[in-house]
Amino acid sequence: MFGFHDSTTDPGSGRPQAHYSWASETVATWTAWALAAVSLVGAFAFYLKWQNLAGSTQMALVSMLFAGIAYWRHNMLARKRAAFRDAVKDYEAMIAKPFG
């Protein structure tokens, strides 16, 4: 997906920094979860109103699609953040070593 960039480094100190696009990825993930919930509620309301299983099934499938996208994006971003935490830990261990 778009926006999954690796962490960057501060040009002055060399310390790893989280990429600015990760904030928009968090918003996109929450939006996908919200769309999944709204679609599922819509499928339930559609079935209650018209007793049409075919239309509500399609809406439920769309809900599962959005939930799958949200879950995938969440896991991808979690992996990037874990790699970032490891990079920061390695950087701090390197800085803590005495020079020379």
Side-chain angles (χ1 to χ4, degrees):
M1 294 300 244
F2 300 107
F4 286 116
H5 298 285
D6 289 330
S7 58
T8 58
T9 56
D10 182 10
S13 67
R15 185 181 193 281
Q17 293 179 332
H19 197 272
Y20 65 89
S21 68
W22 291 1
S24 64
E25 285 302 318
T26 303
V27 171
T29 301
W30 280 105
T31 303
W33 282 119
L35 285 171
V38 167
S39 181
L40 192 60
V41 169
F44 184 68
F46 185 84
Y47 180 74
L48 288 179
K49 174 93 172 153
W50 286 286
Q51 302 295 320
N52 184 352
L53 191 59
S56 60
T57 302
Q58 291 172 352
M59 293 173 78
L61 289 174
V62 168
S63 174
M64 290 179 9
L65 175 71
F66 279 122
I69 290 170
Y71 181 75
W72 182 74
R73 291 177 80 97
H74 173 75
N75 284 340
M76 289 292 292
L77 190 57
R79 276 192 247 149
K80 292 288 183 180
R81 286 183 176 154
F84 171 68
R85 283 191 299 270
D86 291 342
V88 168
K89 188 187 321 177
D90 291 343
Y91 173 79
E92 290 173 352
M94 182 187 69
I95 295 296
K97 288 182 184 177
F99 184 72

